Amino acid sequence: NAGVMQNPRHLVRRRGQEARLRCSPMKGHSHVYWYRQLPEEGLKFMVYLQKENIIDESGMPKERFSAEFPKEGPSILRIQQVVRGDSAAYFCASYLGQTDTEAFFGQGTRLTVV
Amino acid sequence: QKEVEQNSGPLSVPEGAIASLNCTYSDRGSQSFFWYRQYSGKSPELIMSIYSNGDKEDGRFTAQLNKASQYVSLLIRDSQPSDSATYLCAVHSSNDYKLSFGAGTTVTVRA
């Protein structure tokens, strides 16, 4: 039973380019969180999604950032026109839902904007 | 007020000692509480879950929950150098389903 899979592990983008980060939840999990972590800082909540629905995007900047979790395929976090300040580790976590709320993290995507 | 607050640390303990980590939360509707361990440069790893008041033990780890005081703690007994990491307290709200994290406490176990 594979864990949460994120790719790519490392992503380098030039300022102004687009970054697409993918997250495949654990098998059977229909709930996904995305977090951002700067070096030596804590996890900052960005967005919470269920299959085909964005439940809470209160932590995500309204401009340039978007997220989706389609019926089929991975969850995608998309950052348009990246800036140096977007450089961070982006983690997703998934959980089964209902009464089982244990969330498991992927290995993260380290985004570097040059 | 932050949703989840942890004792700031860093915490340094000798090998074999008990490390004590504390966490308070603001949302009284929270029902699920977790401790994660994060090694430098790695992703958070779930090490303990607790849902009801009292103690829960798993190996050298004991989690304690007091919902009336909105307080969660983690004890690490017989601390080992491999326990050196940042420990994150997380709280799942039944109101908005958000999983909120504290800033983390960095623990160093001295050999």
Side-chain angles (χ1 to χ4, degrees):
Chain A
N1 187 13
V4 180
M5 304 299 291
Q6 288 188 250
N7 66 80
R9 294 286 306 279
H10 300 275
L11 182 61
V12 179
R13 284 288 177 266
R14 295 187 184 279
R15 281 176 293 171
Q17 290 185 320
E18 178 180 289
R20 290 171 70 89
L21 287 61
R22 288 176 288 278
C23 170
S24 296
M26 287 180 69
K27 186 176 181 180
H29 286 194
S30 58
H31 299 250
V32 167
Y33 297 106
W34 283 93
Y35 294 87
R36 178 163 67 179
Q37 188 175 42
L38 295 170
E40 308 304 322
E41 293 191 12
L43 289 164
K44 181 178 181 296
F45 168 80
M46 297 184 74
V47 61
Y48 165 52
L49 309 107
Q50 295 180 19
K51 283 279 188 181
E52 299 184 273
N53 286 302
I54 298 173
I55 306 301
D56 184 343
E57 55 183 350
S58 60
M60 200 158 64
K62 296 205 182 313
E63 296 184 358
R64 304 190 297 109
F65 286 74
S66 62
E68 63 177 8
F69 189 13
K71 185 177 180 180
E72 301 290 339
S75 175
I76 305 288
L77 179 67
R78 183 180 178 208
I79 312 172
Q80 296 179 290
Q81 299 174 338
V82 296
V83 301
R84 288 234 172 97
D86 296 332
S87 296
Y90 293 83
F91 293 101
C92 76
S94 73
Y95 74 97
L96 186 62
Q98 298 175 333
T99 57
D100 187 341
T101 56
E102 287 189 340
F104 298 91
F105 279 81
Q107 292 180 299
T109 294
R110 271 77 178 169
L111 172 66
T112 302
V113 180
V114 297
Chain B
Q1 182 187 5
K2 292 183 180 178
E3 294 176 0
V4 182
E5 297 206 47
Q6 296 185 237
N7 47 330
S8 56
L11 183 64
S12 179
V13 298
E15 186 173 357
I18 295 175
S20 178
L21 307 170
N22 302 315
C23 173
T24 57
Y25 60 95
S26 60
D27 181 3
R28 283 196 172 273
S30 301
Q31 296 294 326
S32 308
F33 307 87
F34 309 97
W35 285 97
Y36 288 80
R37 177 176 62 198
Q38 187 176 26
Y39 293 113
S40 181
K42 302 296 185 181
S43 62
E45 174 193 8
L46 179 64
I47 57 171
M48 286 290 282
S49 308
I50 188 165
Y51 305 97
S52 54
N53 284 329
D55 296 358
K56 179 182 177 182
E57 186 175 316
D58 184 359
R60 295 185 295 109
F61 298 103
T62 299
Q64 299 174 317
L65 173 62
N66 183 324
K67 290 185 180 179
S69 300
Q70 297 175 243
Y71 173 85
V72 194
S73 68
L74 180 71
L75 297 176
I76 307 174
R77 292 184 305 280
D78 188 24
S79 295
Q80 302 296 309
S82 60
D83 295 326
S84 297
T86 296
Y87 290 81
L88 302 166
C89 173
V91 176
H92 186 265
S93 170
S94 59
N95 294 325
D96 61 12
Y97 305 104
K98 188 184 295 185
L99 182 63
S100 299
F101 283 82
T105 300
T106 298
V107 174
T108 301
V109 180
R110 309 187 303 271

